[in-house]
Amino acid sequence: MTKLRQSGDYQMPVVDRGVRPGTVFRIIVLAIVLTASAAAFVVFKNQLENEIVLGILGVLAMVGIFFLVSSVIGFIEVMPQSRPDELARAFLDAHEDGTVVTDRKGRIVYANAAYGALTGAKGAAGVQSLETILSRNREATEAIYRLTNGLHEGKQGHEEFRLLKPLANGAMTGSGAHWFRLKARVLPLEDANSNPLYLWQIADITAERDDQERFFKELQNAIDYLDHAPAGFFSAGRKGEIFYINATLADWLGIDLTKFQPGTISIADLVAGEGLALIQSVQAEPGLKKTKILDLDLRKGSGQSLPARLIHRVSSTRDGAPGESRTIVMSREGDDGDQSASNATMRFTRFFNNTPMAIASVDGDGRILRTNAPFLKLFAGLVSQDDVERGIMIGAVMHAAERGQLEEALAAAKDRQGDIAPIDSLHPADEGRHFRFYVNAVIDQSDQAPEEAAIVYALEITEQKALENQMAQTQKMNAVGTLAGGIAHDFNNVLTAILLSADHLLLSARPADATFADLMEIKRNANRAAVLVRQLLAFSRKQTMRPTVLNLTDVIGDLRMLVDRMTGTNVKVEVDYGRDLWPVRTDLGQFEQVLLNLAVNARDAMPDGGIITLRTRNLPASDVAALGRREVPEDDFVMVEVSDQGTGIPAEIMDKIFEPFFTTKEVGKGTGLGLSMVYGIVKQSGGYIYPDSEVGKGTTFRILLPRYVETAEAREEPTSRAATAVATPAPTAAQSEPADLTGDSAVVLLVEDEEAVRRGGKRMLETRGYTVHEAGSGIEALDIMEELDGAVDIVVSDVVMPEMDGPTLLRELRKKYPNLKFIFVSGYAEDAFARNLPADAKFGFLPKPFSLKQLAVAVREMLDS
């Protein structure tokens, strides 16, 4: 049953549902307080973010919560039981928001005076529901619909909508459009089984909206002013990512703001030269902010530079981590050279920071007064801008071993001495980096820095040092190779004489003779010495090679069984074949020696056993740079790797392993020529070899052989030189040789400057029935040919001789005797001298040392060709 109670000039309806009126009004009052406080807290926090308002409203919300909880538990008496209706009615009627309570079907249970005033109701009969009042406004109707659905689900909510006119004419000032905020929530009742009641509050927020509009308009004006200010501006995050850039700076740098996304560019993208090092050097103390003025160049989108002065402000978190930064940019583009001294100073600072050399000015004690950006970048981690401000010493960037030289250089600069020698130093924390310091005295101190005594220039020379070491190593290897080649040449002459003399004695000796065994021992040891000589020649890249086009997959496949036998049972050999290997061009026998030698060394490095891995693959030109080897051209190569799991090679001997006679093996277990021979063969094949080793983990040798590409000339090239089969110290039965090795009185001109070899060769040929004329030089040979009027069938000549060498003799003789047959005898490779002859020159070749039979075979074959 509904009862009407007088309130102002109209009746308030109150529902009697068996609930005590004091309880109902107490709940309504508390709900209104809590709702108003909490809603105001959220709305004002999101829209105004006013710290003072937030604080007050937060306190009100907390008071409301405390009030509600305390009243429930009885700690506070909400309303005296003697007058609950009067106090509740007084509170609700005094509330400025229109408040109405309805049941689930929308029937009004209660409405306060503010609601009546807002809607223009006159008495209880004039009170209308919100649905009825707002039914003509679509936006308001949709808001009520959404809130009602939420209430049915037990959810509270609020909506804002706009009406073209007030709810009741004359009820409020102003006749234009008005904004309203509508809030709704479910009232908690003591009787859980009763139907729920809904509390609605409506307020005119037109003035609040007008304030917001003014605020946002002022904010927009401020942003517009910032965008078009005469100075540039940008803000960046902790990692230097730019979140905002104004239109002025974007226009200067050619950045399209319509495509700009926060975080897509960084400060490093804006700064040209070494200016980033200056910006990064500005660091604030933990929890504080720091501002620095920096003169540097910015980078335009066109690639040009923009001279600018930056007022750079950075913040730091409490734990010292870098925070956000704000930067004002003033363009100095177009400054006139005749402007103020400050502009001249700024231009000098820009040039000072953009020089490629690191520069620092120091006082007489070595204290750094100021530095440029390259200095901070070069010695990052050792010196910062804050360190400079605290007076850090220049010795902090120099290795301890060279600080004594630095003190002497600074003392000389303090005395204004010139020509102070530069100082090479290692990095204090990284001895793999090298620096060169130049100390120059300051002759005329300025008034701005009277304490300035010296200017220190620094350059990193790490790459230069690496190239110098590499060049020195190459020169040393070349020098050793030249020495080894010269020794091998002279030794070959000695061995040739020994072998020829031994063969001569063996011709007249019988196996039963007491001297026969000694003669055979002499010949065996001479052949062993010849093997060592060939290894020296291989290192000096002057050995005889017969290059052919090879597929390394086939070569390694054929060689694997031999490698297995040589490495023993406790060493396993694994092969990883590359797919579709390119062909290479090298001497098959020599390359087999390379692989065998590396495999044997790998076996010796693993006394307890292990795995030797042979691996092949193609190395395209695009992958060469990844090797980090400057001397290797960007061409296609085939890579062969020989890896072991052995003891490894110490770093201090790594640059010596290819030197002749260098070995780490015990006496009698190695000559030290194995790796030097490998080095020479690979180099003579046009390739490269590099070791990669770690002590205790193993070694990998990488061989790079150039890819062979057949050319038209190679396809058409005939065998232009009638070269004889290269004789070896121990020819096999498989070698074909003439059945008749007699001379048939053929005339031979033997040209040799080594008398023992010439005498032995003459005697050996004469025993075979040849008529031999001998000459000690090329000049003498020409004279003998004149005396004999060219009646010579074949010339056998050494290559290296005084006055006139073998190739020159060949050219001179062919001028008058074009069909004269010719054999070169040399301890060097054929290619070492053949490149100096005409391409169509035909000749035979016999490498030293040689035996009597090899000499006879070479001469007979050339005569029969």
Side-chain angles (χ1 to χ4, degrees):
M1 180 176 180
T2 304
K3 300 178 181 180
L4 296 178
R5 299 189 182 275
Q6 184 70 29
S7 176
D9 58 350
Y10 75 101
Q11 300 293 327
M12 290 191 307
V14 179
V15 178
D16 186 359
R17 296 173 181 265
V19 181
R20 290 183 300 173
T23 302
V24 173
F25 282 105
R26 180 168 54 192
I27 293 173
I28 292 174
V29 171
L30 294 178
I32 291 173
V33 171
L34 178 59
T35 303
S37 302
F41 177 73
V42 174
V43 171
F44 279 90
K45 178 181 182 297
N46 292 336
Q47 296 180 357
L48 299 180
E49 295 189 357
N50 186 301
E51 295 181 1
I52 298 176
V53 175
L54 290 178
I56 295 174
L57 295 177
V59 172
L60 289 176
M62 295 303 297
V63 169
I65 295 172
F66 173 76
F67 186 69
L68 175 61
V69 175
S70 300
S71 65
V72 172
I73 65 176
F75 181 71
I76 295 177
E77 183 65 35
V78 177
M79 186 179 300
Q81 295 297 322
S82 60
R83 296 188 303 156
D85 293 348
E86 290 81 357
L87 292 176
R89 185 165 56 250
F91 175 81
L92 293 175
D93 285 344
H95 201 280
E96 60 182 6
D97 291 346
T99 305
V100 62
V101 179
T102 68
D103 61 10
R104 184 177 179 86
K105 295 182 179 181
R107 293 174 297 190
I108 297 177
V109 176
Y110 166 81
N112 73 346
Y115 182 81
L118 191 66
T119 60
K122 299 296 182 180
V127 177
Q128 295 179 326
S129 66
L130 290 172
E131 292 90 336
T132 303
I133 298 173
L134 301 175
S135 61
R136 295 181 180 181
N137 185 281
R138 179 180 177 182
E139 184 179 354
T141 303
E142 291 177 352
I144 292 176
Y145 177 76
R146 288 191 294 269
L147 290 174
T148 301
N149 288 337
L151 292 174
H152 292 339
E153 297 175 0
K155 300 178 181 177
Q156 65 181 10
H158 72 275
E159 295 274 352
E160 293 181 3
F161 54 87
R162 181 174 178 267
L163 299 180
L164 296 178
K165 60 182 180 178
L167 291 177
N169 292 329
M172 290 166 292
T173 60
S175 58
H178 282 251
W179 281 91
F180 295 90
R181 180 182 298 119
L182 182 61
K183 295 178 287 187
R185 62 171 295 155
V186 180
L187 287 177
L189 299 176
E190 293 180 357
D191 185 0
N193 297 322
S194 61
N195 292 327
L197 296 179
Y198 300 152
L199 174 68
W200 298 82
Q201 287 179 284
I202 186 168
D204 189 323
I205 60 170
T206 304
E208 179 184 320
R209 277 282 184 163
D210 290 341
D211 291 340
Q212 291 178 8
E213 288 292 334
R214 284 193 298 272
F215 172 77
F216 287 123
K217 185 175 293 186
E218 292 173 359
L219 180 62
Q220 185 61 42
N221 289 337
I223 294 174
D224 184 68
Y225 177 80
L226 182 60
D227 261 347
H228 299 91
F233 177 82
F234 67 87
S235 62
R238 296 182 177 182
K239 298 180 180 179
E241 65 276 24
I242 294 178
F243 294 127
Y244 173 78
I245 183 170
N246 73 341
T248 302
L249 183 58
D251 181 61
W252 288 349
L253 301 181
I255 297 174
D256 188 354
L257 282 181
T258 61
K259 299 179 180 179
F260 170 75
Q261 294 292 332
T264 55
I265 61 176
S266 65
I267 296 178
D269 299 322
L270 301 184
V271 180
E274 303 297 341
L276 184 62
L278 280 178
I279 292 178
Q280 292 175 340
S281 68
V282 182
Q283 299 177 356
E285 296 293 332
L288 300 178
K289 297 179 180 179
K290 187 173 185 179
T291 303
K292 274 284 187 179
I293 298 178
L294 307 173
D295 293 323
L296 45 80
D297 287 350
L298 300 182
R299 183 184 295 110
K300 294 183 178 181
S302 60
Q304 298 175 335
S305 295
L306 174 73
R309 170 165 289 176
L310 273 61
I311 303 176
H312 184 60
R313 185 178 189 182
V314 299
S315 61
S316 177
T317 60
R318 293 182 177 180
D319 59 358
E324 296 182 349
S325 64
R326 306 287 186 270
T327 307
I328 299 175
V329 181
M330 291 179 288
S331 173
R332 311 305 297 180
E333 193 171 40
D335 277 353
D336 208 348
D338 296 331
Q339 287 187 358
S340 64
S342 62
N343 287 340
T345 302
M346 191 213 69
R347 286 195 299 275
F348 169 76
T349 303
R350 286 177 41 236
F351 301 147
F352 182 61
N353 287 320
N354 288 326
T355 177
M357 182 174 288
I359 305 174
S361 66
V362 299
D363 61 14
D365 297 326
R367 187 175 294 102
I368 298 178
L369 302 177
R370 66 170 178 164
T371 67
N372 66 347
F375 190 94
L376 296 174
K377 180 181 179 181
L378 190 64
F379 298 107
L382 297 176
V383 175
S384 67
Q385 190 65 40
D386 291 339
D387 294 330
V388 174
E389 294 175 358
R390 287 192 289 265
I392 191 173
M393 305 298 289
I394 188 66
V397 302
M398 188 171 288
H399 197 274
E402 282 76 33
R403 288 174 186 168
Q405 298 182 46
L406 176 63
E407 292 176 0
E408 295 176 1
L410 290 176
K414 194 173 182 180
D415 291 339
R416 300 187 178 183
Q417 298 180 14
D419 298 329
I420 301 175
I423 304 170
D424 287 349
S425 173
L426 299 175
H427 192 282
D430 183 3
E431 296 192 355
R433 298 178 64 188
H434 297 259
F435 299 94
R436 180 164 293 165
F437 294 88
Y438 301 87
V439 180
N440 288 352
V442 176
I443 305 302
D444 298 322
Q445 280 92 351
S446 65
D447 295 336
Q448 296 179 350
E451 71 278 16
E452 192 175 57
I455 304 296
V456 178
Y457 304 88
L459 287 174
E460 183 165 5
I461 57 172
T462 302
E463 293 188 3
Q464 178 182 339
K465 280 289 185 181
L467 290 174
E468 288 177 357
N469 293 336
Q470 181 180 334
M471 182 63 69
Q473 180 68 11
T474 301
Q475 290 176 343
K476 181 175 70 173
M477 297 294 281
N478 289 338
V480 173
T482 301
L483 176 63
I487 293 173
H489 173 265
D490 293 339
F491 201 51
N492 269 330
N493 286 332
V494 176
L495 289 176
T496 301
I498 294 173
L499 286 172
L500 291 177
S501 298
D503 285 342
H504 178 70
L505 292 174
L506 286 171
L507 288 176
S508 58
R510 292 175 297 181
D513 293 344
T515 59
F516 186 83
D518 293 331
L519 291 174
M520 290 300 297
E521 188 66 23
I522 291 172
K523 187 170 183 177
R524 255 194 313 271
N525 283 284
N527 286 328
R528 285 183 58 195
V531 172
L532 296 178
V533 171
R534 281 201 303 277
Q535 291 177 333
L536 282 175
L537 287 174
F539 170 75
S540 61
R541 286 166 269 172
K542 295 178 180 179
Q543 66 169 341
T544 300
M545 294 189 73
R546 290 290 181 263
T548 56
V549 179
L550 303 175
N551 185 313
L552 294 186
T553 299
D554 298 335
V555 173
I556 295 177
D558 296 340
L559 199 64
R560 179 172 182 175
M561 186 177 297
L562 180 58
V563 173
D564 280 332
R565 288 199 301 266
M566 293 181 62
T567 53
T569 57
N570 63 337
V571 175
K572 182 181 179 181
V573 179
E574 294 182 352
V575 182
D576 182 7
Y577 295 104
R579 297 183 59 183
D580 302 324
L581 280 187
W582 296 322
V584 297
R585 191 170 186 270
T586 185
D587 187 295
L588 173 60
Q590 301 292 351
F591 189 73
E592 288 178 342
Q593 287 295 320
V594 168
L595 294 180
L596 288 174
N597 194 283
L598 292 177
V600 169
N601 282 353
R603 176 203 65 190
D604 294 343
M606 298 185 295
D608 299 326
I611 299 175
I612 299 175
T613 303
L614 302 178
R615 186 179 296 106
T616 61
R617 70 179 178 94
N618 292 330
L619 185 68
S622 57
D623 295 345
V624 171
L627 297 175
R629 302 286 181 174
R630 293 177 175 269
E631 66 276 16
V632 181
E634 292 190 4
D635 297 328
D636 292 338
F637 290 92
V638 176
M639 178 183 287
V640 182
E641 296 182 353
V642 181
S643 303
D644 63 58
Q645 301 172 330
T647 56
I649 303 173
E652 58 269 17
I653 66 171
M654 183 66 76
D655 59 344
K656 301 178 181 179
I657 60 174
F658 292 124
E659 295 179 7
F661 306 111
F662 178 82
T663 180
T664 58
K665 297 179 181 179
E666 298 178 5
V667 177
K669 292 188 177 181
T671 62
L673 290 173
L675 285 179
S676 62
M677 179 188 69
V678 167
Y679 177 85
I681 293 173
V682 172
K683 287 293 185 180
Q684 197 168 353
S685 300
Y688 302 86
I689 180 170
Y690 301 106
D692 184 10
S693 183
E694 186 174 352
V695 175
K697 293 188 177 180
T699 303
T700 298
F701 281 91
R702 293 182 176 88
I703 301 171
L704 306 180
L705 294 178
R707 176 186 182 181
Y708 175 75
V709 179
E710 187 178 12
T711 61
E713 294 180 359
R715 288 192 297 268
E716 297 173 0
E717 180 180 304
T719 305
S720 60
R721 295 170 182 164
T724 63
V726 178
T728 60
T732 63
Q735 287 179 294
S736 61
E737 61 182 42
D740 183 12
L741 296 179
T742 58
D744 293 333
S745 299
V747 179
V748 178
L749 175 58
L750 181 60
V751 187
E752 172 63 60
D753 64 320
E754 187 72 30
E755 183 179 357
V757 177
R758 186 175 69 248
R759 186 171 57 249
K762 180 176 184 298
R763 185 167 52 187
M764 293 303 99
L765 289 174
E766 287 177 341
T767 60
R768 294 288 182 174
Y770 291 95
T771 300
V772 181
H773 299 276
E774 56 180 313
S777 67
I779 300 296
E780 187 178 349
L782 291 177
D783 293 338
I784 293 175
M785 286 293 291
E786 289 293 334
E787 293 177 2
L788 298 176
D789 196 19
V792 174
D793 296 305
I794 186 172
V795 177
V796 179
S797 174
D798 192 11
V799 173
V800 180
M801 295 181 295
E803 296 181 350
M804 180 182 289
D805 60 6
T808 305
L809 175 62
L810 173 63
R811 286 195 297 269
E812 293 298 322
L813 289 177
R814 287 279 172 85
K815 291 178 182 179
K816 192 172 183 179
Y817 311 105
N819 296 322
L820 180 63
K821 296 184 177 182
F822 210 99
I823 294 178
F824 281 118
V825 178
S826 177
Y828 291 145
E830 176 184 344
D831 292 343
F833 62 88
R835 65 175 64 97
N836 298 323
L837 293 171
D840 59 347
K842 296 180 176 61
F843 59 88
F845 180 73
L846 181 64
K848 292 181 181 179
F850 53 84
S851 64
L852 169 61
K853 185 175 182 180
Q854 291 167 345
L855 176 61
V857 169
V859 172
R860 185 71 266 168
E861 286 183 344
M862 178 57 69
L863 289 173
D864 295 340
S865 64

